[in-house]
């Protein structure tokens, strides 16, 4: 059958359509024919047929009849298929007959096209595979750049993070980089915001001040401290206060520099607060992602330390605690870095402005930040211990370091679990927002997915 995979997945839709409108309508909507094989055989009983496209008389062996009952010569079918394949179609190439929307059999398409142009036949098979992957919720292409060519299949929940054989880790739901504990929507908004603002945020803080009327940042391009915004509002560069429409060297209308007026500056302060809030979360996110990149080089140095320890013939020959500690550090640092974009949207006004009262927001934010800070403190301790030159130490000191790394790894893992539990149970669950589901926490890291052959 040629039913689209998306329709097959929607069992309720198929069942209700068959019940309400009948089997004939369901088959027609799917591009199928209900004609029996006897009908098809009887419609092609003569040795010669006339093609209704080119109007040539051809032998029956040089024509093909599709499931819908329409019969045309092989040359016309082949030309039709090649045109459709070059247009990017594959699984829904329809019959050539007027107002016939039946889907042509894939095997017939492949056989006719391969005889004329094997390259186009290969393209057809590739399009079929791509369309199947695009329609199958459990199979996706690896988003690696340059593309590794692997298709990934999962058997678990759609909201999960997987690792391709090429090493790329990505979110199976949105195909972007692995970003938990951020939801897909949070990560999409955050990446867009960073692209729009992160490159200019530092420059804005240093070189501009906000217009008291339109609250846009204004750059001063002269020595005079009386400036005018593009919206037409004049204001004082020193205190940010608005001046009158007309001001000269001798007089300044409606302005007394140095007087503090809270009501007039409230909106400007709000805009400034939003910028500073974003700057805080961006700087934390950037700092930990930078640490992640630097710590990625730590793995080679740790391997060198293991080689030195093995040469010492110590009593304990098991040095897996070194690599286990590094893996725990790397996984936890990723989680910590992505927890800052999550916090930016969770406790801001962009997504959940009316979902919590101010009091509830403060309580939940304090709870989250306490756990976040505990996790950060242990990650920094683990990073510091792994950086130490313990390969050059005495055996007793090496054993103490081993116990310290194992203990820190265990505590860090438990804190990661607690942070996820807090996010899923205390923060997201009460909101009943299905769009903010996150991938579950895995102590052993992102799951390695099986390739789709």
């Amino acid at each position: 059958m040629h039913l689209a995979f998306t329709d097959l997945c929607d069992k309720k839709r198929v069942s209700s359509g068959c019940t309400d409108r009948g089997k004939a309508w369901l088959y027609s909507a799917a591009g199928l024919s209900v004609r029996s094989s006897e009908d098809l055989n009887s419609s092609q009983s003569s040795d010669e047929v006339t093609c209704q496209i080119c109007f040539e008389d051809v032998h029956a062996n040089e024509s093909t009849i599709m499931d819908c009952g329409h019969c045309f010569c092989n040359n016309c079918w082949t030309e039709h298929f090649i045109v459709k394949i070059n247009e990017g179609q594959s699984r829904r190439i329809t019959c050539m007959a007027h107002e016939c929307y039946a889907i042509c059999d894939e095997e017939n398409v492949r056989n006719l096209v391969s005889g004329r142009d094997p390259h186009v036949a290969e393209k057809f098979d590739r399009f079929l595979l791509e369309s199947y992957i695009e329609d199958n919720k459990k199979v996706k292409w690896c988003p690696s750049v340059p593309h590794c060519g692997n298709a990934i299949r999962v058997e678990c929940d759609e909201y999960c993070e997987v690792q391709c054989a090429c090493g790329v880790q990505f979110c199976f739901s949105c195909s972007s980089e692995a970003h938990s504990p951020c939801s897909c929507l949070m990560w999409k908004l955050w990446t867009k915001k960073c692209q729009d603002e992160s490159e200019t945020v530092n420059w804005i803080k240093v070189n501009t001040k906000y217009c008291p009327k339109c609250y846009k940042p204004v750059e001063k391009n002269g020595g005079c401290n009386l400036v005018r915004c593009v919206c037409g509002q004049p204001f004082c560069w020193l205190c940010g206060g608005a001046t009158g429409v007309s001001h000269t060297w001798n007089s300044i209308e409606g302005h007394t520099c140095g007087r503090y007026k809270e009501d007039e500056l409230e909106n400007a302060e709000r805009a400034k607060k939003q910028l500073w809030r974003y700057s805080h979360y961006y700087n934390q996110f950037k700092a930990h992602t930078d640490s992640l990149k630097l710590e990625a080089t730590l793995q080679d140095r740790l391997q060198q330390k293991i080689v030195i320890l093995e040469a010492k013939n110590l009593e304990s020959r098991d040095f897996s605690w070194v690599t286990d500690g590094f893996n725990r550090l790397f996984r936890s640092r990723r989680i910590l870095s992505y927890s800052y974009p999550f916090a930016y949207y969770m406790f801001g006004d962009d997504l959940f402005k009316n979902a919590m009262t101010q009091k509830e927001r403060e309580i939940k934010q304090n709870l989250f930040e306490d756990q976040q800070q505990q996790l950060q403190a242990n990650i920094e301790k683990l990073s510091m211990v792994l950086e130490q030159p313990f390969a050059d130490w005495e055996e007793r000191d090496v054993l103490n370091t081993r116990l310290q790394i194992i203990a820190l790894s265990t505590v860090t893992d438990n804190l990661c679990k607690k942070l996820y539990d807090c996010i899923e149970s205390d923060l997201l669950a009460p909101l009943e927002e299905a769009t903010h589901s996150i991938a579950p926490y895995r102590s052993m890291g992102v799951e390695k997915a099986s390739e789709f052959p």
Side-chain angles (χ1 to χ4, degrees), residues 308-360:
I308 296 173
L309 290 171
E310 288 176 339
K312 286 186 172 184
N313 293 321
L314 301 178
E315 183 178 347
S316 174
R317 305 289 296 170
D318 180 15
F319 301 107
S320 60
W321 52 272
V322 180
T323 52
D324 290 344
F326 168 77
N327 290 333
R328 177 60 54 213
L329 171 66
F330 198 76
R331 295 165 189 156
S332 303
R333 180 76 78 179
R334 282 183 66 100
I335 291 170
L336 179 63
S337 62
Y338 291 111
S339 70
Y340 284 98
F342 169 83
Y344 176 80
Y345 288 106
M346 185 72 234
F347 306 114
D349 294 335
D350 297 79
L351 297 177
F352 308 114
K353 183 177 182 179
N354 300 317
M356 299 173 281
T357 65
Q358 185 63 30
K359 184 67 174 178
E360 290 174 335

Side-chain angles (χ1 to χ4, degrees), residues 88-296:
Q89 294 187 33
S90 56
R91 60 178 173 82
R92 293 193 67 85
I93 298 179
T94 56
C95 175
M96 291 188 292
H98 180 61
E99 292 186 351
C100 179
Y101 304 105
I103 299 171
C104 297
D105 182 72
E106 294 168 6
E107 195 62 33
N108 284 332
V109 175
R110 186 179 292 105
N111 291 337
L112 289 172
V113 173
S114 60
R116 174 81 64 83
D117 193 333
H119 176 69
V120 176
E122 291 178 5
K123 185 188 292 187
F124 173 68
D125 286 333
R126 188 170 68 251
F127 286 164
L128 277 177
L129 175 61
E130 290 174 354
S131 65
Y132 172 77
I133 291 175
E134 290 167 2
D135 290 339
N136 193 334
K137 293 182 178 180
K138 292 190 175 183
V139 181
K140 283 191 177 180
W141 291 111
C142 171
S144 56
V145 178
H147 186 32
C148 67
N150 293 335
I152 303 300
R153 177 172 56 197
V154 297
E155 300 298 334
C156 56
D157 184 44
E158 180 183 358
Y159 292 102
C160 64
E161 293 173 342
V162 294
Q163 178 175 323
C164 176
C166 71
V168 171
Q169 297 180 351
F170 65 98
C171 171
F172 194 79
S173 177
C174 65
S175 295
S176 63
E177 63 181 271
H179 52 69
S180 64
C182 273
S183 68
C184 296
L185 178 57
M186 288 177 179
W187 182 244
K188 179 181 178 181
L189 294 173
W190 177 258
T191 51
K192 185 178 186 305
K193 190 172 186 66
C194 289
Q195 290 171 358
D196 295 342
E197 299 186 26
S198 62
E199 295 181 0
T200 59
V201 66
N202 291 329
W203 186 92
I204 290 175
K205 287 192 294 185
V206 174
N207 297 285
T208 68
K209 291 192 176 181
Y210 289 96
C211 170
K213 180 180 179 182
C214 66
Y215 314 115
K216 292 180 180 178
V218 177
E219 178 188 9
K220 185 163 75 79
N221 56 9
C224 179
N225 285 316
L226 294 174
V227 298
R228 185 186 297 270
C229 177
V230 291
C231 71
Q233 175 64 50
F235 67 97
C236 175
W237 184 260
L238 298 176
C239 68
T243 65
V245 175
S246 63
H247 61 255
T248 66
W249 292 106
N250 299 321
S251 65
I252 305 172
E253 283 189 7
H255 175 65
T256 305
C257 188
R259 290 187 181 275
Y260 179 72
K261 297 181 180 180
E262 186 172 355
D263 55 340
E264 294 180 1
L265 296 177
E266 183 177 348
N267 290 330
E269 288 298 323
R270 185 183 301 112
K272 187 185 295 184
K273 181 180 178 181
Q274 290 174 352
L275 177 61
W276 278 101
R277 182 175 182 272
Y278 166 72
S279 300
H280 165 76
Y281 286 104
Y282 175 78
N283 290 336
Q284 294 292 322
F285 170 74
K286 184 71 164 55
H288 289 293
T289 51
D290 288 345
S291 295
L292 196 64
K293 294 174 184 177
L294 294 172
E295 286 168 348

